[in-house]
Amino acid sequence: MGGVTEGKGIGALAAMVIGVAYAVGGVIGFAVTGFSGVTNSVGNKLLFLSLNPFQDFIHLAIGALLLYAGMKWSAAAVEGVLLGVGGIYVVAAITGFIYAHIPVITITTAGNSDNYLHAITGATAIVAALLSMSATNRQARSAY
C-alpha cells in the first residue's frame, strides 16, 4: 500500500507538513480569538504569536490548500503552490520588517514574532519546491 505522497516526492511531503501546521494553527487561532474583531490583534496572543480572526482564516485557507495540493495534485502543481505560498510569506515577512504597521495581518511592530515565522515558512516552502524540482529533473534525465 502506498502513502498519500508516494511518487510525488519531497514537495508533496513538505506541502502536507506545512499545510497541517497552518491548518491546525488557524483552528487553534479561532479558538483563541473567536470570530469577532476581525482585524483586531490587541490582546490576542498564543505563546509568542499575535492573532486575529482574519489571519486565522488566511492560515486555515493556506493550510487547506497545501494539504489538498500535497494529496491530490501532480508534483509540478505542488511545486508551483509551494513557490507561490513561499513567495507570499517571504513578501509578508519583508513587509513586516520594513513597514511594521499593518494591523490586518497582525504586523504592528518590526520585531513581531510573526515576521520570523513568515520568513521561515516562506524559505522552507521555496527550498522544498526547489529540491522537488531538482529531484524531478534528475528522474527525467535518468529516464532517457
Side-chain angles (χ1 to χ4, degrees):
M1 278 174 116
V4 197
T5 62
E6 187 174 323
K8 294 184 183 181
I10 192 168
L13 179 61
M16 291 182 65
V17 168
I18 296 169
V20 165
Y22 271 83
V24 168
V27 169
I28 291 171
F30 277 123
V32 171
T33 64
F35 296 93
S36 61
V38 174
T39 61
N40 182 15
S41 61
V42 178
N44 291 322
K45 285 206 173 268
L46 177 64
L47 301 174
F48 54 88
L49 301 171
S50 299
L51 301 172
N52 69 37
F54 177 78
Q55 191 177 39
D56 299 337
F57 173 75
I58 296 299
H59 287 161
L60 187 59
I62 287 176
L65 171 67
L66 287 169
L67 273 169
Y68 188 78
M71 289 189 290
K72 299 288 184 181
W73 293 355
S74 69
V78 171
E79 292 158 2
V81 169
L82 283 169
L83 287 173
V85 167
I88 288 168
Y89 275 113
V90 166
V91 168
I94 291 169
T95 302
F97 287 127
I98 294 172
Y99 179 71
H101 188 71
I102 309 170
V104 167
I105 56 175
T106 322
I107 297 173
T108 53
T109 64
N112 192 317
S113 307
D114 293 356
N115 296 332
Y116 298 101
L117 178 63
H118 293 156
I120 290 167
T121 300
T124 302
I126 290 169
V127 167
L130 295 174
L131 288 173
S132 180
M133 285 190 265
S134 175
T136 302
N137 286 339
R138 278 195 305 274
Q139 288 172 348
R141 283 193 303 267
S142 68
Y144 291 107

